[in-house]
């Protein structure tokens, strides 16, 4: 397998690249992650089952678009391919450490600039992608309330139901999500889409974000997720608001936006996330007829 990867990287780089060093890295709950080197150049490599190739393909395209925005640093795409029963994604390698206060302020400013970048009339993306390994539909829609209700909350509820996890009538919940957002029609912003602290780091060239689940949506979705699992310094929010202040009404929407990710965690991990989802659905009266 490693020889096949070496051959493919040699073709992409236009020079011989033989993997002589391989270090296992922490990569979360989804992929095997490695730093590979030929003794001269290092790359970051994600490895998963062959059928997950499409996940890596959509991730590489998301990284390309985020790079095009040139607002916040993201990994540089090198190559995506398959070998034997595995698929893999190769990116540039950068040593990282935890985001500190100074970098947090800078990252907040950069994310705000990303959310301001570009002109898009609708919500969605040119292709469906993944949040983790969960499919994420991105069909274009003119109304934010319907996009989020149907392609985020209703979609996750359907996936939960397929696994025997029930939270109530999906049509009722979807209708109530629409009602809560019906008067909210924000500027479509290019989102990271899965912005928890584990997908951020500090490099020698500044903060970096990675593992995107990109689409055009309400910027508050990105900010809400930064609060879901904690880990972002207060300076991050100060930096963000210095460029693109959040409206007071954000506080009324953030739990609804985070319900999407909590439902996804119900599918992936179950356990305590089921109780969290039930709590939010009840608190927001999403089952009221």
């Amino acid at each position: 397998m490693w020889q096949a990867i070496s051959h493919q990287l040699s073709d992409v780089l236009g020079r011989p690249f033989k993997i002589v060093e391989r270090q296992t890295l922490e990569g979360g709950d989804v992929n095997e992650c490695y730093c590979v080197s030929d003794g001269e150049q290092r790359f970051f490599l994600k490895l998963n089952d062959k059928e997950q190739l499409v996940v890596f393909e959509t991730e590489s395209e998301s990284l390309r678009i985020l790079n095009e925005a040139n607002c916040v640093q993201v990994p540089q795409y090198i190559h995506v391919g398959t070998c034997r029963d595995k698929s893999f994604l190769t990116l540039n390698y950068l040593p990282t450490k935890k985001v500190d206060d100074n970098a947090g302020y800078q990252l907040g400013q950069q994310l705000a600039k990303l959310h301001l970048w570009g002109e898009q009339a609708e919500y969605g993306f040119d292709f469906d992608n993944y949040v983790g390994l969960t499919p994420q539909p991105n069909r274009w829609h003119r109304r934010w309330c319907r996009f989020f209700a149907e392609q985020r909350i209703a979609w996750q509820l359907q996936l939960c139901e397929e696994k025997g996890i029930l939270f109530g009538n999906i049509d009722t919940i979807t209708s109530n999500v629409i009602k809560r957002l019906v008067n909210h029609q924000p500027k479509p912003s290019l989102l990271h889409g899965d912005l928890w602290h584990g997908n951020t780091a500090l490099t020698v060239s500044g903060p970096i974000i990675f593992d995107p689940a990109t689409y055009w949506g309400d910027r508050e979705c990105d900010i809400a997720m930064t609060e879901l699992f904690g880990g972002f310094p207060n300076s991050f929010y100060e930096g963000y608001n210095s460029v693109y202040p959040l409206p007071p009404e954000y506080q009324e929407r953030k739990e609804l936006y985070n319900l999407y990710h909590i439902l996804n965690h119900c599918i992936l991990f179950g356990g305590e996330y089921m109780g969290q989802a039930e709590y939010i659905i009840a608190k927001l009266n999403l089952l009221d007829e």
Side-chain angles (χ1 to χ4, degrees):
M1 178 183 74
W2 295 107
Q3 184 177 6
I5 293 175
S6 293
H7 285 320
Q8 292 185 44
L9 288 177
S10 297
D11 290 341
V12 170
L13 298 171
R15 68 170 183 83
F17 185 91
K18 181 180 180 181
I19 296 174
V20 295
E21 298 176 20
R22 186 174 75 245
Q23 178 186 358
T24 303
L25 303 174
E26 292 184 7
D29 304 301
V30 176
N31 304 295
E32 298 174 47
C33 296
Y34 300 90
C35 174
V36 298
S37 171
D38 66 347
E40 297 181 9
Q41 191 171 9
R42 292 183 293 177
F43 294 108
F44 180 80
L45 188 140
K46 293 183 179 184
L47 195 66
N48 212 309
D49 296 333
K50 198 167 188 175
E51 57 266 25
Q52 302 302 334
L53 175 64
V54 65
V55 179
F56 290 148
E57 290 175 334
T58 57
E59 179 179 345
S60 66
E61 184 64 12
S62 294
L63 290 171
R64 183 193 67 78
I65 294 169
L66 289 168
N67 259 313
E68 183 182 307
N70 196 30
C71 295
V72 57
Q73 183 180 196
V74 297
Q76 300 294 311
Y77 166 73
I78 306 298
H79 178 61
V80 64
T82 61
C83 55
R84 295 186 185 175
D85 59 344
K86 296 290 185 180
S87 61
F88 65 95
L89 171 64
T90 311
L91 308 168
N92 66 320
Y93 176 80
L94 290 170
T96 60
K97 60 182 181 180
K98 185 178 178 180
V99 172
D100 57 23
D101 283 344
N102 289 336
Y105 191 88
Q106 184 182 4
L107 178 58
Q109 290 186 313
Q110 291 174 347
L111 185 70
K113 291 174 183 176
L114 175 67
H115 289 165
L116 285 166
W117 177 83
E119 295 294 331
Q120 178 54 248
E122 298 187 359
Y123 308 98
F125 212 40
D126 284 338
F127 53 87
D128 296 340
N129 51 20
Y130 294 81
V131 53
L133 291 179
T134 304
Q136 178 172 264
N138 293 313
R139 182 172 56 83
W140 292 105
H141 209 293
R142 291 185 179 276
R143 295 288 297 167
W144 170 246
C145 61
R146 289 202 168 272
F147 176 87
F148 186 77
E150 295 168 4
Q151 297 194 62
R152 291 298 177 261
I153 300 303
W155 171 255
Q156 289 285 356
L157 289 170
Q158 289 165 6
L159 294 179
C160 285
E161 192 170 277
E162 290 170 9
K163 295 196 70 171
I165 305 171
L166 306 178
F167 292 105
N169 185 277
I170 294 176
D171 290 340
T172 300
I173 295 173
T174 304
S175 176
N176 282 321
V177 172
I178 291 172
K179 289 176 184 176
R180 290 190 70 90
L181 296 174
V182 69
N183 295 318
H184 183 55
Q185 184 73 357
K187 169 195 177 331
S189 294
L190 186 63
L191 307 184
H192 175 280
D194 194 11
L195 196 60
W196 69 293
H197 69 86
N199 286 342
T200 69
L202 178 59
T203 73
V204 292
S205 52
I208 189 170
I209 58 177
F210 42 88
D211 292 350
T214 306
Y215 65 99
W216 293 86
D218 185 357
R219 65 186 177 122
E220 294 176 9
C221 291
D222 267 354
I223 303 301
M225 193 177 188
T226 67
E227 296 193 60
L228 181 57
F229 301 117
F232 283 75
N234 288 334
S235 61
F236 167 82
Y237 304 100
E238 294 168 0
Y240 187 93
N241 283 302
S242 73
V243 175
Y244 194 5
L246 288 163
E249 297 80 13
Y250 158 70
Q251 297 296 330
E252 301 170 10
R253 290 185 284 264
K254 69 179 181 180
E255 277 192 305
L256 178 60
Y257 288 162
N258 280 337
L259 178 59
Y260 173 61
H261 295 288
I262 291 171
L263 289 170
N264 186 45
H265 278 64
C266 289
I267 295 167
L268 297 174
F269 309 114
E272 64 182 283
Y273 297 109
M274 296 171 64
Q276 282 185 259
E278 289 173 345
Y279 171 78
I280 293 175
I281 289 169
K283 181 180 178 182
L284 300 182
N285 300 315
L286 297 182
L287 282 173
D288 287 359
E289 294 289 351

